[in-house]
């Protein structure tokens, strides 16, 4: 019985971090985005608006080779789907996907520091995956209608990278439990979260 209750509490209290990025704030979508999460039944346990500095954002985004290469690979996949030929050297001035990923990471850091960001801590059963589902795919033109990115954004990595900027997809959401624990600690002090 006791064990049961411990598990129930653990499931109900799964937490995740959402950031409304500067494009979402600028477009006046704060209320709309928050209401989507509330409507789904997630509880807001932390909320704030901040102007992040580079140090915070540098800590926020991973530095692993895998994560950085994934940023670059997003572009290559889109090019393949659209049957467009990409020459990394000629078009982007880099020699491999890792170097492209590093460049994109820099753009992301600068972009995230360019305006206000809303930080939201959400709680509920399977909060991490429920939030990812409501947010939709990373690449906006592939995000399904009904998701936040699908309904309110239209960008592609090909276009973004040619314009020397990150994809504008309105939201960041923790990708898994490990990311969620790390990011919640990074963005919120313990006493800023409601128990
Ligand atoms: P987030 O972590 O922001 O919730 P995600 O987990 O869906 O998004 P990641 O792979 O973690 O996507 O990428 C982090 C962010 O980097 C994306 O949200 C997007 O803004 C940006 N990004 C990803 N790939 C590219 C790319 N090829 N070009 C430009 N920006 C990119
Ligand atoms: Mg991510």
């Amino acid at each position: 019985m006791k064990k049961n209750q411990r598990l129930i509490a653990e499931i109900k209290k799964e937490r995740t971090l959402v950031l409304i990025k500067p494009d979402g704030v600028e477009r006046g979508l704060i209320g709309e985005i928050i209401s989507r999460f509330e409507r789904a039944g997630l509880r807001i346990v932390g909320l704030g608006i901040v102007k992040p500095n580079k140090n915070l954002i540098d800590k926020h985004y991973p530095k692993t080779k895998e994560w950085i290469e994934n940023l670059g690979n997003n572009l290559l996949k889109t090019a393949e789907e659209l049957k467009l030929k990409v020459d990394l050297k000629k078009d982007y001035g880099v020699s491999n996907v890792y170097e492209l990923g590093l460049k994109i990471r820099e753009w992301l850091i600068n972009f995230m520091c360019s305006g206000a960001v809303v930080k939201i801590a959400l709680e509920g059963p399977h909060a991490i995956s429920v939030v990812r589902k409501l947010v939709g795919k990373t690449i906006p033109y592939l995000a399904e209608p009904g998701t936040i990115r699908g309904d309110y954004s239209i960008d592609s990595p090909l276009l973004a990278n040619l314009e020397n900027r990150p994809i504008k997809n309105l939201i960041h959401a923790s990708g898994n439990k490990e990311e969620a624990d790390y990011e919640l600690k990074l963005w919120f002090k313990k006493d800023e979260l409601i128990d």
Side-chain angles (χ1 to χ4, degrees):
M1 184 63 185
K2 262 214 169 124
K3 194 176 160 200
N4 226 339
Q5 249 143 22
R6 183 186 56 80
L7 271 176
I8 288 171
E10 206 168 293
I11 291 167
K12 283 187 173 170
K13 283 179 178 247
E14 183 172 309
R15 288 182 171 184
T16 188
L17 177 81
V18 164
L19 300 174
I20 305 179
K21 297 179 181 181
D23 51 329
V25 174
E26 216 153 89
R27 287 180 51 198
L29 292 173
I30 297 174
E32 171 62 29
I33 290 170
I34 291 179
S35 78
R36 296 236 178 169
F37 296 123
E38 281 190 305
R39 229 167 48 187
L42 290 151
R43 244 191 324 275
I44 298 170
V45 292
L47 185 63
I49 186 157
V50 283
K51 178 91 180 2
N53 60 32
K54 282 200 173 189
N55 181 40
L56 174 64
I57 302 297
D58 183 54
K59 282 187 189 150
H60 172 81
Y61 284 116
K63 292 188 174 83
T64 58
K65 187 165 180 271
E66 190 196 354
W67 190 85
I68 290 169
E69 281 183 347
N70 181 54
L71 293 180
N73 277 323
N74 276 340
L75 174 130
L76 296 180
K77 265 185 256 158
T78 302
E80 209 177 283
E81 267 155 33
L82 301 178
K83 304 208 179 343
L84 289 169
K85 268 219 152 48
V86 164
D87 186 320
L88 284 182
K89 192 92 217 169
K90 277 193 196 136
D91 299 330
Y92 298 95
V94 295
S95 11
N96 52 52
V97 275
Y98 180 75
E99 281 181 15
L100 180 65
L102 275 183
K103 242 186 181 181
I104 297 169
R105 193 176 181 280
E106 261 321 290
W107 293 332
L108 248 182
I109 293 174
N110 289 330
F111 175 65
M112 291 295 283
C113 296
S114 71
V117 165
V118 174
K119 56 176 184 177
I120 313 163
L122 291 167
E123 183 182 271
H126 308 286
I128 299 165
S129 59
V130 168
V131 164
R132 298 285 292 189
K133 190 179 66 178
L134 295 171
V135 168
K137 290 188 180 140
T138 305
I139 301 175
Y141 87 96
L142 297 175
E144 309 284 346
T147 65
I148 300 169
R149 286 171 173 163
D151 285 350
Y152 294 104
S153 60
I154 196 177
D155 208 5
S156 93
L158 261 179
L159 181 62
N161 298 170
L162 286 168
E163 294 178 344
N164 291 345
R165 59 171 180 82
I167 301 171
K168 291 188 181 169
N169 58 5
L170 305 169
I171 289 176
H172 161 81
S174 309
N176 52 51
K177 173 97 174 69
E178 220 185 354
E179 270 184 31
D181 291 347
Y182 172 76
E183 292 170 1
L184 285 165
K185 274 210 187 87
L186 182 67
W187 287 85
F188 287 97
K189 289 186 200 126
K190 220 175 169 215
D191 63 5
E192 288 177 324
L193 294 173
I194 306 296
D195 209 1

